Amino acid sequence: MESRRILVTSALPYANGSIHLGHLVEYIQTDIWVRLQKMCGHHCIYVCADDAHGTPIMLRAQEEGIEPEELIAKTQTEHEADFSEFLIGFDNFHSTHSEENRNFAEDIFKKLQHKDLINTRSVIDLFDPEQKVFLPDRFVRGTCPKCKAEDQYGDNCEACGATYSPADLINPHSALSGATPVEKENLHYFFQLGKLEEELKTWTQSNSLQPEISNKISEWFEDGLKDWDISRDAPYFGFEIPGATGKYFYVWLDAPIGYMASFKNYCERSGEDFDAYWNADSTAELYHFIGKDIAYFHTLFWPATLMGAGYRKPTNVFCHGFLMVNGKKMSKSRGTFIKARTYLNHLQPEYLRYYFAAKLGPGINDLDLNLDDFQQRVNSDVVGKLVNIASRCAGFISKKFDAKLSASFSSECEQAFAEATAANTEIKDHYEQRRYAEAIRSIMKIADQTNQLIDQYKPWEKIKDENCKEEVHQICSFGINMFRLLIGYLKPVLPELAGKAENFFNDELTWADLASGETLPEGHIINKFKPLMTRIESDKVEAMIEETKEQASAQAPVISASDPIDSEISFDDFAKLDLRVARISKAELVAGADKLLQLTLDLGEATGGLEKNVFAGIKSAYSPEELEGKLVVMVANLAARKMRFGLSEGMVLAASGDDSGLFVIHPDSGAEAGMRVK
């Protein structure tokens, strides 16, 4: 089979925090796919980098009293250590704050300019009259217009979760000087996506995306693509736009370019040909693995950037869902917002790799880490079925047959081995198509059948009969060969366990070996068997949960019992609120917004089919897909306000109980759109 040339990336982790188990869904999914390609003999390269730019990086560095460069270097060291221990086999891990990324960002911008895809126009921004600089949202502080909490950021309130524009703050002031900001016209740079609309339409409908993503993206074309604001003003941690002093590339422009930069860095070290993978006429394959929450950036902005600059487009963009724990969103207070390092303090990484593989499919559905099921499945499958085959056969081979294998099996065992070998094509295809759960089911079915055959022959009884010695030799040799086949099938998922097993039977496995149908030869010597994996103990899982709770407790703000719940209002004030049940008929990501979703709310026939447009700061808790069709409670008579992204005509009610995020309030079944809440 001809070797393929493949370049694979995962989304870049943000250099502002630790890796957690939700992140690892993506990196484990990608790593399994990459290991399968390499095991099949393909030339597959896996690169990634830290996403190191933006205002949050700058603010976090200020809080710690260090320079942004020191923060991102420290974070990258932490990230690389976590990834390494979870056996994520990057060929290169870099940073977007690199000379390679700067060079590509500037060059791509100039190419877009040359093709008349960049324009400029003035918008109204807040300006610090003392420092003489325009202020990013997070450099404006003031009193929340909703709950009146003081010293809040200009984009959202950390006390009540409300989102707003900086101009909505009460008594706003600059975080730089303390001065009251003023509104002032400001020049911004825009990428004219509309000029590439037809080419983008063709690509998004060309099987390069999953059907559900392709269908969702098609909605963005209905009203025509809007220009994309790609500039931000100083103070900003990033790359300055060539020829535009004080203007910086928006982080979402240079972040995906980090894929190219990391690969370029790899090429400089390895001698790989960069152009062979990125030129417009490249025959190499390019795959991006990402979360569904950033699909918009990777399936519109990123391919548009590549098209406009004359580079190739991705072969495929593979989106995945979010991680739930015990059926709920990850929560620090419940101990389920688990950092990678916290997990590693208590449990083996391959437990999680196996469990994620056993649950992952090719779609964008969310994945649930049920901790009871996690423990039971790993113990049953990996320890009780897979490793058990080797442990129950190896002792007889070592003690009774000088550690030498037989190449002769009974006809029944030969048939079982042939059928297991024939399954390799199906299993490989499952991996290739990211149907990991189906691959695991097929592998464990073979493991079950193997254990049943060994049970049927009962070598532990027959070894007592000298006349049955050869039969025992054959069935145990069959077991070792079946274990070798099965561990080979699981090598992309369990690379460390596979490495230990390969040392045990003195053989390194490729996919071609698995497909050959050949067993280890007569007289092949195995090494002394050592336990390959131990069971998950409940106390280890509980200790991990408790450590996570302790971390949350240490970070929680101290609130006095005497603090008031909120400012009191009169009944007459409360009666002015028109609370209505509404149905979310449409939910969309908001380009350029970190926290907002745009909701179209249908207030039903009782209001004459009235619809309201609302921007809600719930992106961290919900994807657009899971909101559409749901009933919510909204403040229907809230005065409309102009936001940077459009007009917001109301507010959706949500609750926040802990650090896990927001929870939209849903009416009970039986409620209908338009009903008043009394």
Side-chain angles (χ1 to χ4, degrees), residues 459-472:
W460 52 90
E461 291 184 3
K462 292 187 176 180
I463 196 64
K464 301 171 186 176
D465 186 343
E466 190 65 26
N467 295 324
C468 297
K469 188 175 180 180
E470 184 55 31
E471 187 178 342
V472 171

Side-chain angles (χ1 to χ4, degrees), residues 118-138:
I118 302 293
N119 68 7
T120 59
R121 65 174 181 269
S122 292
V123 300
I124 300 298
D125 283 336
L126 291 184
F127 185 78
D128 185 325
E130 293 187 8
Q131 292 292 319
K132 307 298 183 186
V133 294
F134 286 97
L135 296 169
D137 292 352
R138 292 221 150 200

Side-chain angles (χ1 to χ4, degrees), residues 583-587 597 599 618 622-632 664 666:
R583 186 178 300 279
I584 301 176
S585 59
K586 190 174 184 180
L597 293 179
L599 308 178
I618 55 176
Y622 296 92
S623 66
E625 294 82 5
E626 63 184 307
L627 286 173
E628 290 187 351
K630 291 187 178 297
L631 293 176
V632 294
V664 170
H666 299 293

Side-chain angles (χ1 to χ4, degrees), residues 489-529:
Y489 288 155
L490 282 169
K491 190 174 179 180
V493 179
L494 304 172
E496 189 170 79
L497 179 62
K500 293 177 182 177
E502 287 171 335
N503 288 335
F504 159 62
F505 45 69
N506 283 319
D507 189 35
E508 187 174 345
L509 291 168
T510 67
W511 204 270
D513 295 328
L514 307 178
S516 70
E518 296 180 1
T519 62
L520 293 168
E522 182 73 32
H524 181 88
I525 296 176
I526 61 172
N527 289 318
K528 183 178 180 180
F529 181 79

Side-chain angles (χ1 to χ4, degrees), residues 260-282:
M260 304 173 76
S262 183
F263 183 65
K264 180 67 172 178
N265 180 260
Y266 173 78
C267 291
E268 290 167 353
R269 292 189 296 101
S270 67
E272 195 72 51
D273 184 355
F274 178 89
D275 292 338
Y277 288 81
W278 286 100
N279 278 357
D281 59 356
S282 170

Side-chain angles (χ1 to χ4, degrees), residues 24 77-89 340-341 343-345 347-350 353 495-496:
L24 286 167
T77 299
E78 176 190 326
H79 286 180
E80 290 193 64
D82 289 346
F83 285 136
S84 176
E85 290 192 47
F86 270 99
L87 310 173
I88 309 300
R341 182 54 47 185
Y343 175 99
L344 291 167
N345 289 341
L347 295 166
Q348 295 181 35
E350 288 191 305
R353 288 180 65 100
E496 189 170 79

Side-chain angles (χ1 to χ4, degrees), residues 325-326 343 346-348 350-356 358-359 368-385 533-545:
V325 180
N326 294 333
Y343 175 99
H346 303 280
L347 295 166
Q348 295 181 35
E350 288 191 305
Y351 295 154
L352 192 70
R353 288 180 65 100
Y354 180 81
Y355 190 76
F356 279 178
K359 305 271 281 188
D368 184 30
L369 169 58
N370 181 290
L371 293 172
D372 289 337
D373 181 55
F374 164 66
Q375 181 179 354
Q376 187 278 329
R377 181 173 295 207
V378 172
N379 289 347
S380 172
D381 286 5
V382 183
V383 182
K385 296 178 183 179
M533 183 175 282
T534 57
R535 296 169 58 84
I536 300 176
E537 300 297 338
S538 297
D539 61 340
K540 298 291 187 183
V541 177
E542 292 166 3
M544 176 182 69
I545 298 299

